[in-house]
């Protein structure tokens, strides 16, 4: 009987400590301001800029597949 009560109390203590630890959350700190400087390394990534050769290949593929021009 004592063993059952002791095991029950141990299980209760372990499960309660996990639940209490989860409640003690704090607000996340604000990230520190970035102080890095760019000394002329790599150029920034340019999105949506397509070369003339890519555009011609795209149009050729559309013609070959039978798609109509927009």
């Amino acid at each position: 009987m004592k063993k059952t009560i002791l095991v029950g109390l141990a299980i209760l203590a372990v499960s309660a400590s996990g639940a209490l630890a989860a409640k003690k959350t704090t607000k996340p700190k604000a990230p520190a301001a970035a102080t890095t400087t760019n000394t002329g390394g790599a150029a920034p990534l340019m999105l949506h800029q397509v070369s003339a050769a890519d555009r011609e290949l795209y149009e050729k593929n559309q013609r070959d597949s039978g798609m109509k021009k927009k």
Side-chain angles (χ1 to χ4, degrees):
M1 180 76 174
K2 291 180 184 179
K3 194 177 208 180
T4 305
I5 293 174
L6 186 61
V7 170
L9 285 175
I11 292 172
L12 179 66
V14 169
S15 63
S17 66
L20 291 175
K23 289 184 180 179
K24 293 182 181 179
T25 58
T26 59
K27 291 183 180 179
K29 294 182 181 179
T35 58
T36 60
T37 58
N38 189 359
T39 59
L45 180 62
M46 301 296 225
L47 297 176
H48 306 291
Q49 291 189 355
V50 182
S51 69
D54 288 339
R55 184 70 186 166
E56 289 174 16
L57 180 62
Y58 173 73
E59 290 174 359
K60 178 186 174 289
N61 288 338
Q62 278 192 327
R63 279 192 310 270
D64 292 345
S65 67
M67 291 184 67
K68 295 180 181 178
K69 272 194 168 180
K70 293 182 183 179

